[in-house]
Amino acid sequence: MKVRSKAPFAVALVGALALAACGSSSSDDGKAAAGATATLSGEPIKIMSIQAMSGPSDTYPGLPAAVQAAAAAVNKAGGIKGRPLEVTVCDDQFDPNKGADCATKAAQGKYLFVTANSSTGDRYMPILEKAKIPSIGEVPSSVSELKSPYSFPFGSGAVNIAGGGTACGKLGKKDPAVAVVDIAAGRNSASFFGIGLKPFNLSINKTVPIAPTASDLTTATATLTSGTTDCIDLVVGTTQATKLLLALSQAGSKATPAYGATVIEDKMVKTLGDAANGLVLVGSTPPASDTSIPAIKQFNAELDAAGVPADTRSEGALTAWATVHLVAQYAQKLPTIDGESLANALSTAGEINFSPLPKVDFSKSIKVLFEGNRIFTTAVYFSEIKNGTRTPLFDNTAFDVLTSS
């Protein structure tokens, strides 16, 4: 079965660095947040967004807000078989134990599915799998998510990092470097950059480690800007990426920086100001600001209707929003609305072509990290920050990081 949507109803580190994470605090919004109306009846269909809404990590409230906005739109259109969607936002506070608490809550509540942007996948994914609750739409940041048959991602941190190499090659760069967070997973993930460089006969010429708590990036910046470096892939968290981009700008660097687009919100771009100019963003979807695409126009309209600030929108929020609409379409056809039935439907669907999500076939993984990894697309889109605005690159064409075509 193929899912096609003609109407708009349609960089993380694998294994360690997550740009957001979740725990067992539910939103007070409940049905109200999901836009339930008097015309809907029956037991609510529960979905969960696992995020870090507090704690020591960067937080991205725009992602769960996008889930709530999509659920509100689904409910306004009649829900799922007349039943309302109910969203729980579970804050794991960047704490693996609280991530496990979120999954336990989902299992006990018989949730239909979970969508997450969390570093706690190694704790929550085994619990979800045992309860036969799929995690859909997330960018895997743990080994468990990359292996579980109940994980259905529409992107990959490894692929986004490789996409930085593709961007360097497509832009004609010749001397690429990579800045990585100085932890084991960060150093290992730097090699993914080389995957995207390979089709252009390029290799990583310089790897510069950056301590995750470093506040003075003078030395790292000097190393990155020395010689003829003309392209830099940033494999660090958003806080460090912000500091590094500011430092590179102050040093007068002319090298093109590349970074994963998943959680880059406009408020970060505004904070960077001129230092953001020339930044190339790599993501599994077109830019969330590109309203020339009908699905993205609908995304922005639904978030406007829900009162979600425009500067908190990102490709990650776009993926989360589209995932809710995709699941709603599938759930309408399920004889039994439960996680196991939904997972089976996705696994046997064949090619899923649901704008603005990338095309995937959840029965056919693409080997990037290891045989059978839960990676189903190696295509990426590029945009560039120009005067504070995301501008699509290469006519919004998606390129395969394994072949550059």
Side-chain angles (χ1 to χ4, degrees):
M1 175 177 70
K2 292 185 179 181
V3 177
R4 298 196 176 273
S5 178
K6 296 180 181 178
F9 201 42
V11 173
L13 301 182
V14 174
L17 178 66
L19 304 180
C22 290
S24 129
S25 105
S26 301
S27 72
D28 293 329
D29 297 327
K31 296 178 184 178
T37 68
T39 60
L40 303 181
S41 61
E43 185 178 359
I45 296 169
K46 293 183 283 189
I47 62 179
M48 179 179 287
S49 174
I50 301 181
Q51 306 286 328
M53 303 299 290
S54 61
S57 75
D58 298 315
T59 59
Y60 304 97
L63 275 74
V67 173
Q68 292 171 322
V74 170
N75 285 343
K76 186 176 181 180
I80 297 175
K81 296 184 178 180
R83 295 168 59 186
L85 282 179
E86 180 179 317
V87 178
T88 297
V89 178
C90 198
D91 178 10
D92 75 357
Q93 302 172 38
F94 207 64
D95 181 336
N97 292 326
K98 294 187 182 298
D101 289 343
C102 286
T104 299
K105 180 182 180 70
Q108 292 174 342
K110 298 182 179 180
Y111 281 58
L112 177 61
F113 79 99
V114 165
T115 189
N117 185 53
S118 169
S119 67
T120 64
D122 276 330
R123 291 298 305 277
Y124 70 67
M125 198 67 237
I127 297 171
L128 294 178
E129 181 179 333
K130 184 177 180 180
K132 298 181 179 180
I133 296 174
S135 179
I136 308 173
E138 84 290 352
V139 173
S141 60
S142 72
V143 173
S144 294
E145 292 166 291
L146 284 163
K147 289 185 175 181
S148 174
Y150 277 81
S151 176
F152 296 89
F154 284 100
S156 164
V159 171
N160 285 350
I161 294 170
T166 307
C168 292
K170 285 288 182 184
L171 292 169
K173 306 301 180 179
K174 301 299 182 183
D175 193 358
V178 58
V180 301
V181 62
D182 194 13
I183 57 177
R187 293 187 293 271
N188 292 337
S189 295
S191 63
F192 304 152
F193 181 40
I195 294 174
L197 293 171
K198 186 176 180 180
F200 301 94
N201 296 316
L202 296 172
S203 58
I204 301 171
N205 291 335
K206 191 183 300 179
T207 299
V208 179
I210 297 177
T213 58
S215 57
D216 183 356
L217 302 182
T218 303
T219 300
T221 301
T223 304
L224 284 168
T225 56
S226 64
T228 58
T229 299
D230 57 5
C231 195
I232 304 170
D233 203 16
L234 308 183
V235 188
V236 295
T238 50
T239 297
Q240 291 294 67
T242 300
K243 293 178 181 178
L244 186 55
L245 288 166
L246 288 168
L248 289 169
S249 177
Q250 290 166 3
S253 172
K254 301 300 181 183
T256 296
Y259 194 60
T262 303
V263 291
I264 301 302
E265 300 172 343
D266 284 349
K267 62 182 180 181
M268 174 182 169
V269 175
K270 291 177 183 176
T271 297
L272 285 167
D274 290 343
N277 282 333
L279 173 63
V280 173
L281 298 176
V282 185
S284 298
T285 68
S289 58
D290 187 4
T291 54
S292 67
I293 297 172
I296 296 179
K297 183 177 181 179
Q298 181 179 339
F299 161 75
N300 282 283
E302 289 185 9
L303 268 64
D304 285 344
V308 180
D311 64 359
T312 65
R313 301 173 195 181
S314 64
E315 278 71 42
L318 177 63
T319 296
W321 169 88
T323 293
V324 175
H325 279 296
L326 172 70
V327 169
Q329 189 177 100
Y330 270 87
Q332 296 282 8
K333 301 175 183 179
L334 294 177
T336 303
I337 301 177
D338 60 24
E340 183 178 13
S341 298
L342 176 59
N344 287 337
L346 292 172
S347 296
T348 58
E351 183 183 85
I352 297 173
N353 184 9
F354 191 89
S355 178
L357 297 171
K359 295 178 183 179
V360 297
D361 183 335
F362 288 122
S363 69
K364 297 178 180 178
S365 64
I366 302 169
K367 182 180 178 181
V368 177
L369 304 174
F370 52 82
E371 199 68 49
N373 54 204
R374 301 290 288 178
I375 294 176
F376 301 96
T377 177
T378 51
V380 291
Y381 291 84
F382 302 102
S383 59
E384 181 182 11
I385 304 299
K386 291 184 177 179
N387 299 319
T389 301
R390 301 179 194 222
T391 303
L393 285 174
F394 312 120
D395 296 321
N396 243 350
T397 300
F399 294 97
D400 189 329
V401 301
L402 301 179
T403 66
S404 81
S405 61

